[in-house]
Amino acid sequence: MGFFDSFGVPDILNLAQAQKHTGVSDTTLMRLIRADLLPVQQVAPYAPLEIKRVDLDAEPVAGIIKHLKSTGRLVLYRDPSAEQTHLF
C-alpha cells in the first residue's frame, strides 16, 4: 500500500482529513474510535491520529455514517432483534 491511491488521495488520514473525507464532525469520529468501531494508530504520544481511508469507507463505519447523515442520529450499536422478521 502506498501513501496515495491512483487519484492522489492519501491512504492514511489525520483526524481533520478524515472529517473532510466523511463529512462528519471530529466528535463523531472520536465516538466511533472510542467505541472500537474505527481503528486508529498513533505512532507517539501527542502525535496525530492515523486513520486508514479504507476503514472509513468500510462497514460498519460507512453504514453508521450513512445512517447519521440520513436521520441525524448517531447509532453506534444496532439492535439485532430490530432486523428480525416478526412472527406474528
Side-chain angles (χ1 to χ4, degrees):
M1 177 177 0
F3 294 111
F4 295 91
D5 69 1
S6 59
F7 299 105
V9 177
D11 289 329
I12 297 178
L13 308 172
N14 62 31
L15 193 60
Q17 291 168 323
Q19 194 178 345
K20 288 179 185 176
H21 179 74
T22 59
V24 298
S25 70
D26 59 340
T27 303
T28 296
L29 293 173
M30 289 305 296
R31 286 180 180 168
L32 290 167
I33 293 165
R34 282 190 218 109
D36 290 328
L37 295 168
L38 178 59
V40 296
Q41 290 185 330
Q42 191 173 28
V43 295
Y46 305 104
L49 296 175
E50 295 181 349
I51 303 167
K52 292 181 183 176
R53 186 171 42 90
V54 295
D55 291 335
L56 293 168
D57 296 336
E59 293 300 328
V61 175
I64 291 169
I65 290 172
K66 181 179 177 182
H67 182 266
L68 170 64
K69 288 181 176 181
S70 66
T71 65
R73 298 191 66 199
L74 179 63
V75 179
L76 298 178
Y77 302 101
R78 290 191 178 165
D79 178 13
S81 64
E83 296 177 13
Q84 293 179 339
T85 57
H86 296 286
L87 296 176
F88 303 100

